[in-house]
Amino acid sequence: MVTAVPTSMKAYLCAGPTSLEALRVTELPLPAVPDDGVLIRVHASSTNPVDLFPLSLAGYLMAGRKPVILGTDFSGVVESVGSAVRAFRPGDEVFGGGKGAFAEYMCVSESRAIALKPSSVPFADAGVVAVAGGTALQAVRDHGRLERGQNVLINGASGGVGTFAVQIARAFGGHVTAVCSTRNVETVRALGAETVIDYTQSDFTRSGLRYDLIIDIAGSHSFLACKRVLAPGGRFVGVGAAALQHRGGGGFRAIGHFLGTRITSIGSGHRLVSLFIASLKHEDMAFLGELMADGRIKPVIDTRYSLAEVPDALRQ
């Protein structure tokens, strides 16, 4: 029996600067499928700080003052493909990242961040990987250049990027020290961290230890302080600005933090990189799929929401 594809879908459309309280599910036509397009019936998505950006004035202006469907991470089943698509076909289970994931259907280009979902990986797990997992992978592998046997410290290890960073660093053979709050110590240790520092009890920048790589997601210390525990020739990767914004000062404080970090790193002999968000790629999605399939990474899911509860998920 052939099931007809619907002509409309439920989605969260952002037509301009707005608040979470004002977000509503909207009935929209299904996305058009271009020659290189893959139409996906979305099974799962997740919320990331980047998904809040379109709600701001800056996000609206950067989108060309055009309405956008919210959401980035996705997993689902291919419904149909464009005439030029060769890598995917209807019925394939896929995951990745693209615009418009807070909807029943979305369309992404075959060449973008989409990969086949391993059959052993649940849709829920695959649907939370793209942004946080991709950012962690690029921080550890591409910018951190972590090598087997090196010591890595991950500050902010219990969040989305942090939980992936701990597992990816372990998969690359690193000796992981994770920094988090008291309530997350056991969770982070279960992910593979060999040492866990409770920041409410200890200051890792005064431990006297040395690390070949520091992945700083929390942004809770200056580079000058972190430099005390960075080994000669070590690398420092500052990830994201959102972690700083809730501490007051918003985006300007985040920008000031990263500028200050760059200035104080001059002449230090250390390699410093600021990674605000990953560039989502097909190759990285495929690699993360392999890591999930063989059990080297397992996404940490805090709470599950229905599509109707997306504003609550974004608020959390």
Side-chain angles (χ1 to χ4, degrees):
M1 182 178 69
V2 177
T3 303
V5 179
T7 58
S8 64
M9 66 177 186
K10 293 181 174 63
Y12 280 89
L13 184 71
C14 181
T18 189
S19 65
L20 291 177
E21 289 70 26
L23 283 181
R24 297 288 185 274
V25 174
T26 305
E27 195 80 16
L28 297 173
L30 252 63
V33 183
D35 291 345
D36 67 343
V38 180
L39 181 67
I40 300 157
R41 178 161 48 89
V42 179
H43 280 233
S45 182
S46 66
T47 53
N48 295 280
V50 69
D51 298 318
L52 292 166
F53 186 61
L55 278 64
S56 67
L57 176 59
Y60 174 62
L61 294 175
M62 287 185 67
R65 301 184 181 185
K66 296 179 181 178
V68 295
I69 298 175
L70 301 178
T72 308
D73 289 355
F74 71 84
S75 66
V77 176
V78 175
E79 194 73 39
S80 63
V81 299
S83 60
V85 173
R86 297 292 178 265
F88 304 98
R89 59 185 181 182
D92 283 345
E93 297 181 350
V94 295
F95 76 103
K99 295 180 180 178
F102 294 165
E104 294 177 313
Y105 291 84
M106 65 184 297
C107 188
V108 299
S109 170
E110 176 187 33
S111 63
R112 302 305 292 271
I114 176 174
L116 292 172
K117 180 184 75 66
S119 59
S120 61
V121 177
F123 282 108
D125 284 3
V128 306
V129 171
V131 172
T135 301
L137 176 62
Q138 291 178 18
V140 172
R141 180 194 65 188
D142 302 343
H143 300 295
R145 299 180 184 176
L146 181 66
E147 298 178 6
R148 181 170 295 278
Q150 289 187 325
N151 295 314
V152 54
L153 180 137
I154 299 169
N155 182 29
S158 61
V161 176
T163 53
F164 280 113
V166 168
Q167 297 175 84
I168 290 169
R170 286 287 292 161
F172 277 67
H175 298 295
V176 179
T177 295
V179 182
C180 64
S181 65
T182 306
R183 70 186 183 94
N184 293 311
V185 166
E186 293 309 316
T187 297
V188 171
R189 183 174 284 120
L191 294 176
E194 296 172 67
T195 303
V196 182
I197 297 174
D198 179 351
Y199 68 73
T200 69
Q201 304 296 320
S202 304
D203 181 351
F204 74 85
T205 70
R206 299 188 179 278
S207 67
L209 302 175
R210 292 291 182 270
Y211 302 95
D212 302 293
L213 170 62
I214 294 178
I215 305 290
D216 184 19
I217 304 160
S220 55
H221 294 75
S222 68
F223 176 74
L224 203 60
C226 292
K227 191 169 64 171
R228 291 196 291 261
V229 294
L230 198 56
R235 295 168 302 283
F236 178 96
V237 182
V239 181
L244 295 168
Q245 294 181 13
H246 73 276
R247 292 183 168 83
F252 288 108
R253 183 165 190 256
I255 293 169
H257 175 85
F258 280 109
L259 287 176
T261 296
R262 287 205 170 276
I263 291 170
T264 54
S265 70
I266 295 173
S268 68
H270 299 118
R271 182 174 184 271
L272 181 144
V273 177
S274 295
L275 174 65
F276 286 92
I277 187 172
S279 174
L280 301 183
K281 305 174 183 177
H282 160 76
E283 294 80 9
D284 287 353
M285 296 303 106
F287 183 69
L288 290 167
E290 293 174 7
L291 293 181
M292 286 191 292
D294 63 20
R296 283 184 286 175
I297 63 172
K298 169 70 176 174
V300 177
I301 298 175
D302 182 75
T303 310
R304 296 172 188 249
Y305 296 89
S306 67
L307 182 62
E309 296 170 317
V310 161
D312 294 328
L314 285 167
R315 189 174 294 108
Q316 179 173 336

